[in-house]
Amino acid sequence: MTAKPTQTLIRILLATLSLSAATATYAAQCPLIPDGNATLEESERAALLSEFKFEALDKELARKHKKNLSSSGGDLLTMRDLLGLQQLSLQEENVMRMWADQQPKSFFAQLNAGLYYGNKAFGARGEAPASSVTGSQWNSVKQLSAKAQPYLQKAMALDARSALPQTMLIGLAAMENQVGGRTAAQWLQAADQADPKNLAARVNALNYLSPRWGGSLEGLDQMVSQAVKSLPSASASYLQYNLVLAKASHYEVVDKDKSKAQALYKQAKDMCDNSEAARAGMVRTYQ
């Protein structure tokens, strides 16, 4: 895992459940792992955005969001839909603003703009350790984060039952110590209160409550152990798989222990055979 949440497929947690048991109960081909290819449906949504057909786009996203929430992927799929929409529409800033401005009561328009500026903030920071980030970079981070937060706050007001705005705020708070008066852990709590079955926020929290951001592996275990109690089995298994990836990344990047990292990446690959992240990790840490 890297120190940014912007990859179109957001990262996830894993629990203190027996990993062998998780492997035995979860299919080798994990359906929640995306293949990275845009669908016709996604291309059609991007066309609606580029043609400024914002009302039609809102209706289509609302339909898809309802469908997502009834599936094992839950709100994570909606987060992917919005991030994919930005990529397919070439991430034109003024288009994102136009949608939010012309549809002020649209949850998706406000959330999308917040995600756009939030991801820009992470891009401005880069992946280097905090001690290596320049003053100029931090200024850009703060400016972009300040643009993102009002949109995210407005999205929360428009749909108090969604944890998607909190998903981005978790990362921003970790990067800036806190935003909106809350730390990353507190934004995760807010996400859990808004939607006890949220998946996206818990995915992002795996990254931003990790040791490299001041958290602990034990804390991740506890978080996932609690999360799986309220999640469908497929979602819980997906969190478990991603916790293995999070731990593997920690041992690879922070502890520089390739042996432990290799074993964990292999375990993740055994849990989800179609995991490109696990495969790439196995290659990087091969000795």
Side-chain angles (χ1 to χ4, degrees):
M1 277 171 45
T2 64
K4 60 180 182 178
T6 59
Q7 296 158 324
T8 321
L9 346 159
I10 297 187
R11 299 328 325 158
I12 316 182
L13 336 101
L14 215 346
T16 50
L17 300 179
S18 164
L19 295 176
S20 59
T23 303
T25 59
Y26 200 48
Q29 293 291 323
C30 298
L32 289 183
I33 294 178
D35 61 15
N37 296 318
T39 65
L40 177 60
E41 186 180 73
E42 290 169 331
S43 298
E44 289 173 344
R45 287 197 293 267
L48 291 175
L49 179 60
S50 64
E51 294 167 8
F52 312 142
K53 296 179 179 178
F54 301 133
E55 187 173 349
L57 176 59
D58 284 328
K59 290 180 179 179
E60 172 57 21
L61 285 169
R63 179 197 67 80
K64 185 65 175 4
H65 183 51
K66 183 177 180 180
K67 181 179 178 182
N68 289 341
L69 292 180
S70 66
S71 72
S72 60
D75 66 349
L76 178 65
L77 299 183
T78 299
M79 178 67 81
R80 290 176 180 173
D81 286 338
L82 287 172
L83 293 174
L85 177 65
Q86 291 184 14
Q87 289 188 339
L88 289 173
S89 61
L90 305 179
Q91 297 183 321
E92 295 177 293
E93 179 179 2
N94 285 347
V95 175
M96 308 301 167
R97 291 175 54 240
M98 286 172 64
W99 182 16
D101 290 346
Q102 293 185 29
Q103 296 290 104
K105 295 185 178 180
S106 164
F107 167 74
F108 302 105
Q110 305 307 315
L111 174 61
N112 179 73
L115 294 177
Y116 175 81
Y117 285 113
N119 284 339
K120 286 287 186 182
F122 286 102
R125 183 201 182 281
E127 298 179 35
S131 59
S132 301
V133 179
T134 67
S136 176
Q137 284 176 292
W138 280 123
N139 286 337
S140 294
V141 166
K142 291 178 180 179
Q143 290 171 7
L144 290 163
S145 177
K147 288 184 177 182
Q149 290 174 51
Y151 289 114
L152 296 171
Q153 294 282 357
K154 190 168 184 179
M156 280 193 290
L158 288 166
D159 188 351
R161 295 177 298 175
S162 175
L164 290 174
Q166 292 91 325
T167 299
M168 175 56 78
L169 288 164
I170 287 169
L172 293 176
M175 186 165 54
E176 302 182 69
N177 295 321
Q178 64 173 313
V179 295
R182 295 182 179 182
T183 64
Q186 289 169 333
W187 278 117
L188 176 61
Q189 291 174 353
D192 292 345
Q193 290 171 358
D195 178 8
K197 293 186 178 181
N198 79 78
L199 191 54
R202 286 159 171 156
V203 168
N204 223 23
L206 262 187
N207 188 16
Y208 292 107
L209 297 181
S210 68
R212 77 185 69 177
W213 292 93
S216 68
L217 296 181
E218 293 77 11
L220 296 184
D221 284 337
Q222 293 172 5
M223 175 181 64
V224 176
S225 181
Q226 285 297 117
V228 299
K229 296 176 182 179
S230 61
L231 293 174
S233 60
S235 297
S237 295
Y238 192 46
L239 287 183
Q240 291 168 330
Y241 149 77
N242 276 272
L243 181 55
V244 173
L245 283 182
K247 290 181 177 181
S249 177
H250 170 79
Y251 284 113
E252 177 189 1
V253 177
V254 178
D255 284 7
K256 309 295 184 183
D257 188 333
K258 286 191 173 184
S259 179
K260 281 188 177 181
Q262 168 77 195
L264 286 163
Y265 281 127
K266 183 180 184 303
Q267 190 169 41
K269 187 75 164 60
D270 289 341
M271 295 172 75
C272 290
D273 189 56
N274 55 330
S275 172
E276 287 299 321
R279 180 195 177 281
M282 289 175 65
V283 172
R284 288 194 307 271
T285 57
Y286 181 75
Q287 294 177 297

